[in-house]
Amino acid sequence: MIHRVATEATEAAEIWLLKPPTTSGPDLDLTLLSEEERRTLRRIGNPATGVRYAAAHIWLRRLLGERIGVRAADVRFAREPRLRGNGPQGGRPSVLDPAERTHFSLSYGGDSVLIGIAARPLGVDIEPVPEAATARTLARVLHPAEAAEIAADQDPALTFARIWTRKEAYLKGIGTGLGRALDADYLGLRDSPASPPGWALANLEVARGYAAAVAVHTGRQVFVPPMRCLPGV
């Protein structure tokens, strides 16, 4: 079953939370995918993972096609230069929009898929909340202040997941991904949540057992309201 979720702020991101089926069905119209996407799909050995990939890309194409006024099958993708850092690799995926107003981000987490669409560069991330021991171990690679927040919290696993998704959303937004050192930026939750200059970060309320976040590139801070679940489609 697929749930559609969206924010309501016109200057922030629209967020879509997908719960793909585990088996193929009539909604998975593979003719909407590009040849490259179909090649990727054929390389995926796990059937459920393949269905999740296909559903994510089909719905991404539908949403982007509706936004820019083309058929889903005609959506074309490119890769943007990094907003921070250098190097031949990295950079955000983008849609070839004639009006140059559309940016997107896609994230897989457990059995969920998160899609963000905005008029400005952005990143989204969704992750299952890990076991507490895993959270404490992984926290060591984060910014020291973030690691301290996680260690001091009564629910270190949830705090870790919320900080981690903020960090991944931001790193996707700037186009480096995990190629940038995880301790280079403080994006924690203590006092007022941290946002790097020119970016607005927000944690998103999703299903129990998951954490999610969005980072939007903006010259000023914008309010990103909680997501609301709409009827499944």
Side-chain angles (χ1 to χ4, degrees), residues 6-203:
T7 58
E8 297 178 340
T10 58
E11 292 186 347
E14 296 178 4
I15 307 296
W16 304 83
L17 178 63
L18 283 64
K19 292 283 190 176
T22 56
T23 57
S24 184
D27 286 340
L28 292 182
D29 184 357
L30 301 184
T31 65
L32 300 180
L33 300 178
S34 68
E35 181 54 40
E36 181 179 354
E37 288 168 320
R38 289 195 288 269
R39 283 197 298 268
T40 299
L41 182 59
R42 289 193 291 269
R43 291 196 296 266
I44 298 175
N46 183 288
T49 302
V51 169
R52 186 184 68 163
Y53 172 88
H57 281 250
I58 288 168
W59 276 97
L60 175 63
R61 286 178 165 277
R62 287 172 173 165
L63 293 168
L64 290 173
E66 180 178 352
R67 186 179 179 103
I68 67 177
V70 303
R71 296 188 312 136
D74 293 334
V75 173
R76 295 291 180 265
F77 298 106
R79 191 165 290 276
E80 298 285 334
R82 298 180 179 192
L83 295 182
R84 290 188 66 176
N86 299 306
Q89 298 184 0
R92 297 175 299 104
S94 63
V95 60
L96 294 178
D97 176 5
E100 298 182 351
R101 290 194 302 262
T102 302
H103 301 266
F104 75 90
S105 180
L106 184 150
S107 175
Y108 300 93
D111 64 353
S112 299
V113 177
L114 199 66
I115 295 174
I117 300 176
R120 298 170 179 176
L122 80 160
V124 299
D125 191 55
I126 184 169
E127 303 284 347
V129 176
E131 297 292 332
T134 301
R136 292 189 182 96
T137 298
L138 293 177
R140 298 170 187 165
V141 303
L142 299 177
H143 190 282
E146 296 168 344
E149 289 179 39
I150 294 165
D153 199 272
Q154 293 184 342
D155 190 347
L158 179 58
T159 299
F160 167 83
R162 296 184 71 197
I163 292 175
W164 183 274
T165 54
R166 291 168 64 85
K167 183 145 303 203
E168 279 222 48
Y170 173 64
L171 296 180
K172 289 178 182 179
I174 64 175
T176 65
L178 296 179
R180 180 174 172 82
L182 293 173
D183 61 354
D185 309 284
Y186 172 68
L187 303 176
L189 303 167
R190 184 163 292 172
D191 299 325
S192 58
S195 292
W199 287 84
L201 272 68
N203 290 94

